[in-house]
Amino acid sequence: MTAASAIARKDWREFVRDRRLLVMAALMVLLSLAAVMTAYARVAAYEADRVATERRDRVTWESQGERNPHSVAHFATWALRPLTPLAVLEPGVTPYAGAAIWMEAHNQNGARARAIDDAAIAFDLGTFSVAWVLQTIVPLLIFVIAAGLVARERERGTLALLLIGGADARGLLPRKLGGLARIALLLAAPVLAAGIAAALLAGAVDPLRLALWTLAYILFFGIVATAAVAVSALARTVSGAMLILIGLWCVAVLLAPRAGVAIAQATAPTPAPDAFWSALRTDLAKAPDPFEDKAFEAAVLQRYGVGKVEDLPVSFAGLQLDESEKHGAVVFDRHFGRLAAIHAEQRAAMRWASLLSPVPALENVSTALAGTDGPHQLAFQNQAEAHRRAMIGALNRDMVEHGAGEDFDYKAGSALWRATDEFRFHMPNVGATLRTIWLDLAILGAWALATALLLRLASHRLARSIV
Amino acid sequence: MLRLIALEARLLARERFAWVLLLFLALSCALAVANGRVLMDQQLDGRAIAAQGDAKARERVEGAFAPDFDRALAIVVPYWVRTQAVSPAPPLADFSAGRAAIEPHATTVTLRSRVDTLFERTAVDNPEAAARGSLDLGFVAVVLMPLALIGLGYGLFAADRESGAARLLLAQGGTPTRVLLARSVPRLLLVLGPLAMAAVVLLATGPQIDERGTAAGWWLLVAVALAAFWWAVILFVNALRIGAETAALTLVSVWAMLTLVLPAAVTATAQLAYPPPSRFAQIATARAAEMSSTTAYENDHPDLASESFAGRLASVRKSLSIARTVDRAVAPIARRFDAQLAGQQGIVRALAWLSPPMIAADAMTATAGTDVGRSLAFRRAAVDYMGQTKAALGGFIDRGAIMTRPEYAALPAFDWRPEPVRPVAQLLALFALALLVGAVALHRFRRVSV
């Protein structure tokens, strides 16, 4: 038996004998399984509901009968955001972001139907999910288990015996880390396995995303375990080590992500909703209204070489509507673009919290790979807006081309509604997703390096302590 | 006794850990104060903008009262009216953010408003920031403060018992109760001090809102009651015959269970027990109802439909009829939403009694005016107001009457004022728990053998 496996076996035996830790571990596994089941139920119900609603609404859309295309543009359609199967593991921003966008004429609407609006929670410390357990509870458990790994040996005097007995002082901590890794793996494995099984049951999972997601968490647990063993080696007593580790956990898991939000709000404050919508309305009102603008009428008459509107070979109202949409698009792009830029600045600002903890970077990686982060939500909103403009443009074009002389009395048939594309959200590919989180992956790598150096420092100190 | 407390305070001041903890709490409180002020400013600014209303819409309506205004167009004027429902500013949003940042605090009511779309244009916040949560004074009090107390108190007596110093201490200091009291006072002050200071700073620099001072007093009392509960638990664990390490482990486990696990489990249980109906189904139902009752363009632009009085009246009546059909179709779903949310709220309230941190958090947000109950009450009041406004405006169209200036001025105004919350029951429960656990702990200490 090698020294490494002997130490790992001893640590495992101690862990099993310590009923306090066993009870905590069992509770954690039960909690995780509950999280997996509730998340699976939530995602499955959501997706079934979304698909059924889309089907029902398509029937409504296609059975409108003969109508004026602009009336149909007002009725419009809805974009409903799909959830990826990996949302079972990581809900990310989805409870806090709108899931439905009304793609109507004249307006770019915000996403609405947020799950958080329909939840009676005021004390919100995160959505109960596998990711929440892995980011919050598992590190706490690893810290609690690891606190005594070296410090207890020192307290009992067995550390000195080990080292005097010829144990390699520099190799001891990596071996302790190996033992802890086995324990952590045994704790995390059922959680990960149940989560992954639920995600696979929920739909077709992108294997690359899933593999990267799992690797990110393994790296995170590696960081947590390495830091824990180093602290246990540097601390004089078990309770001292535990105190430091709980403090670190508190800063890393509870405080740092929230501190990031505070930095973000201070550096790039979100406008008040009323101010945002009021400024948008004011800008829209400033744009010349093609229904009242004589210059627009003159330009159209000149373009078609006619003297009065009645002689136009196309629907003048259709052209006015189209022009109005173009004016609107400029204003929407400006205001929503500014809002997206503020959110991007906030995302960058929230990253500064990674100086205190690897958790903000892990959250970015975890949500991005699950397809539940801010950029994925923005992609949904942008795709919905692009679809809205294409759909309204097509309806206006039909009115322009076929509604000459009739304008708002012109009626198109069901063939036009059937020819309108349904909204389909195209998830950004893995390459595009990785481009949004490369910095977060680098931050996790830096944390891994920093904790490895800390472990090395602790090893050196341990070696020096026997000289 | 005072000398003993002073001695313990001096001993505590010599501990580097105490200073690190004080710095940590002070920084957390400073961050919470900064966040609170930003949130409060946003809340007040947003309400001020909303209260101004839509000047252009008002001007348009006022213009319709001119003697030479086209009578045929005047029948459409009820559709131009835009009024505001603005909730009063929560007195302590800067103390406990609760749902202030995510809940709508204002909405515009028109004849086109519907129960399912009344609060549609509200959210422009960053969902990533919302998902991470905010650091407010409530978070410091409910989440961080107990951990700080555990850090200061896990070895309060257990460490001395383990090292054998307890015997000496008791010989010098008298009864364990005296020693524990002397040790407790400076530690509790160390933790509660920064919190109270932060509250004073917020009060001194914050806005003048009715009931703010009184609400802050209640809020602080809840924080003190929660601290008392945790200190009682710490004393109880110290009274067990266990070492400092086990005491720390036990206390952290109890904290994690009560503060992290139980609230998450309670929320999940409430949502499983009372799942809200589908928002998607609500959308589809409204659209199907609208489609089945109209195929005409007049629904969208009644002012362009016809130039005669009779034609426009027929058009707006049709619009109103369609809107009422949609209202009737979505009403049952809206009622189900209300019922399910009330159910969730009920189960969360009932199960919150299992977790003192939840009791305290609920009491703090209720006092701050940022709790679920107040949000739901505002939403209900706004829906009622929408009903009154639509009935008044729709009445003109039903009667075929043109709205006059006095009638416009006499339209209902939104005037909803929530009753201030006094968390007496929660306070009593927290203090009672603290007394109970503390009494058991002291009883055990009296029989202590070191």
Side-chain angles (χ1 to χ4, degrees), chain A residues 46 49-50 53-54 57 77-83 94-104 108-115 117-118 277 377 380-381 384-385 423, chain B residues 116-117 119-123 278-284 287:
Chain A
Y46 175 98
D49 184 26
R50 180 185 66 82
T53 304
E54 282 179 345
D57 199 50
T77 59
W78 283 78
L80 306 182
R81 184 195 60 212
L83 281 181
T94 54
Y96 302 88
I101 298 175
W102 188 24
M103 300 179 290
E104 62 165 336
Q108 174 170 355
N109 290 304
R112 65 174 99 144
R114 301 184 301 179
D117 292 333
D118 299 324
W277 293 110
Q377 175 69 18
F380 163 68
Q381 289 167 196
E385 178 57 12
F423 173 77
Chain B
D116 57 324
T117 57
F119 296 105
E120 62 186 12
R121 284 194 157 195
T122 50
S278 157
R279 285 281 171 203
F280 295 162
Q282 188 183 36
I283 289 167
R287 286 167 63 73

Side-chain angles (χ1 to χ4, degrees), chain A residues 76-443:
Chain A
T77 59
W78 283 78
L80 306 182
R81 184 195 60 212
L83 281 181
T84 64
L86 287 178
V88 169
L89 301 172
E90 169 64 277
V93 306
T94 54
Y96 302 88
I101 298 175
W102 188 24
M103 300 179 290
E104 62 165 336
H106 308 308
N107 284 315
Q108 174 170 355
N109 290 304
R112 65 174 99 144
R114 301 184 301 179
I116 190 72
D117 292 333
D118 299 324
I121 328 163
F123 186 43
D124 185 9
L125 290 179
T127 309
F128 190 44
S129 67
V130 177
W132 180 79
V133 172
L134 296 179
Q135 287 168 20
T136 309
I137 307 291
V138 172
L140 182 62
L141 199 55
I142 291 178
F143 277 175
V144 166
I145 292 167
L149 275 183
V150 185
R152 191 176 291 115
E153 304 261 19
R154 181 178 281 126
E155 243 177 13
R156 287 178 188 159
T158 49
L159 182 65
L161 282 178
L162 255 175
L163 297 175
I164 292 164
D168 173 16
R170 285 177 202 274
L172 181 69
L173 295 193
R175 284 170 195 151
K176 286 280 183 188
L177 180 61
L180 178 62
R182 284 183 208 184
I183 296 170
L185 194 69
L186 274 165
L187 291 174
V191 183
L192 278 170
I196 290 168
L200 291 169
L201 276 175
V205 175
D206 182 339
L208 185 54
R209 279 178 182 266
L210 180 60
L212 289 171
W213 189 88
T214 311
L215 280 175
Y217 275 94
I218 290 172
L219 178 62
F220 173 64
F221 295 145
I223 293 168
V224 170
T226 310
V229 172
V231 168
S232 177
L234 291 168
R236 275 176 294 183
T237 60
V238 183
S239 45
M242 194 173 291
L243 208 60
I244 295 169
L245 287 170
I246 299 297
L248 286 179
W249 175 84
C250 183
V251 171
V253 176
L254 298 178
L255 210 58
R258 286 175 164 79
V261 175
I263 298 168
Q265 278 295 353
T267 53
T270 312
D274 309 274
F276 175 82
W277 293 110
S278 164
L280 193 144
R281 266 200 310 274
T282 306
D283 259 16
L284 277 176
K286 276 185 201 159
D289 182 356
F291 284 89
E292 290 169 6
D293 186 10
K294 288 293 168 194
F296 175 71
E297 184 181 320
V300 169
L301 295 179
Q302 192 183 9
R303 196 191 328 157
Y304 285 93
V306 294
K308 54 182 195 293
V309 168
E310 289 74 19
D311 295 338
L312 282 170
V314 293
S315 161
F316 182 55
L319 289 173
Q320 287 172 310
L321 289 169
D322 200 43
E323 186 66 11
S324 164
E325 286 297 332
K326 283 178 191 157
H327 282 310
V330 173
V331 175
F332 296 137
D333 284 347
R334 187 159 60 240
H335 285 268
F336 280 95
R338 204 177 295 147
L339 187 63
I342 290 172
H343 288 180
E345 278 178 52
Q346 291 184 338
R347 185 177 170 82
M350 282 191 273
R351 262 203 196 102
W352 282 102
S354 297
L355 286 173
L356 291 173
S357 154
V359 172
L362 177 75
E363 283 175 340
N364 282 350
V365 171
S366 175
T367 52
L369 291 169
T372 56
D373 64 344
H376 279 81
Q377 175 69 18
L378 187 63
F380 163 68
Q381 289 167 196
N382 288 344
Q383 288 180 28
E385 178 57 12
H387 184 87
R388 182 188 81 83
R389 291 183 190 178
M391 179 183 71
I392 303 298
L395 292 170
N396 285 342
R397 263 195 310 281
D398 182 81
M399 187 160 152
V400 169
E401 288 166 10
H402 304 107
E406 292 181 279
D407 289 341
F408 292 111
D409 291 328
Y410 160 69
K411 288 189 170 48
S414 296
L416 182 60
W417 327 138
R418 279 198 296 274
T420 311
D421 287 336
E422 284 182 71
F423 173 77
R424 286 276 171 271
F425 174 59
H426 299 289
M427 182 127 149
N429 62 35
V430 180
T433 299
L434 288 176
R435 275 196 293 280
T436 65
I437 52 166
W438 70 267
L439 195 53
D440 301 295
L441 290 168
I443 289 168

Side-chain angles (χ1 to χ4, degrees), chain B residues 13 58 90 93 127 146 184 206 343:
Chain B
R58 266 200 307 271
S184 299

